[in-house]
Amino acid sequence: MSVALAGCTNGSGTDGNGTDGGGDGTTTTPVEESCPALRDADRTVCAATTGADAPVVLRPSATSLGAPGTLRFTLSNGGASTLGTNPYDWAVHRETAAGWERVAPDATVEPWRELPPGASQAWLLGVGTAPTPEDDAIGCGPLDLDDGTYAFSVAAQGDDGWTAYVARFRVV
């Protein structure tokens, strides 16, 4: 597997790479497999197994894409308390026969951001293409990912400890 990480950026602009699940090969069919515990956290919340009424969840714009393409992952705080997170501490893992293997990033910068109730943080993951950051989204990539099943994850700290938020996706 070849993985190249060009970095993550924060910026503005428009994204023409199909983050809405449009006619570019992306789909929004749920990934039904179990939720992997990829981080050292008190609990794991997976987008595919979390109901629509969950107060805090990481949602992907689609669950599969063809390369080149872009996926948008949005962590929305619909809870009653503020969450703390490092928006640059995202991770991509690949499912292998031996389990889950981290493929990116190699390093993480250390800023801290608070997400008050009603706020959200977004990441744009570029697979085979550099993402065009929009709004306050963090642009991540480009990553050269082979066909397979992957998981994007972030962690946030709330009143009840650390939670890992996971969204699985496929590269086809």
Side-chain angles (χ1 to χ4, degrees):
M1 170 175 44
S2 172
V3 175
L5 176 64
C8 293
T9 58
N10 182 331
S12 61
T14 58
D15 177 44
N17 293 315
T19 59
D20 65 354
D24 66 345
T26 61
T27 67
T28 55
T29 304
V31 179
E32 298 296 332
E33 293 86 3
S34 64
C35 188
L38 303 174
R39 298 202 168 228
D40 185 17
D42 300 312
R43 74 200 55 70
T44 298
V45 174
C46 199
T49 58
T50 302
D53 60 346
V56 181
V57 68
L58 178 68
R59 297 258 185 237
S61 58
T63 56
S64 71
L65 80 156
T70 302
L71 288 177
R72 182 182 182 96
F73 298 91
T74 304
L75 180 66
S76 299
N77 184 1
S81 62
T82 297
L83 298 174
T85 188
N86 175 351
Y88 292 92
D89 186 18
W90 56 273
V92 173
H93 288 79
R94 179 186 171 96
E95 187 174 34
T96 69
W100 290 89
E101 172 185 301
R102 185 177 175 132
V103 296
D106 293 329
T108 303
V109 294
E110 297 293 332
W112 189 254
R113 176 169 184 218
E114 292 189 345
L115 287 174
S120 64
Q121 174 64 58
W123 293 263
L124 294 173
L125 178 68
V127 177
T129 186
T132 303
E134 55 188 35
D135 310 320
D136 67 345
I138 304 295
C140 306
L143 297 181
D144 291 324
L145 302 177
D146 294 332
D147 289 357
T149 301
Y150 294 85
F152 183 90
S153 68
V154 296
Q157 184 178 30
D159 293 340
D160 55 354
W162 283 94
T163 302
Y165 297 95
V166 178
R168 293 171 59 119
F169 65 98
R170 291 185 185 102
V171 176
V172 292

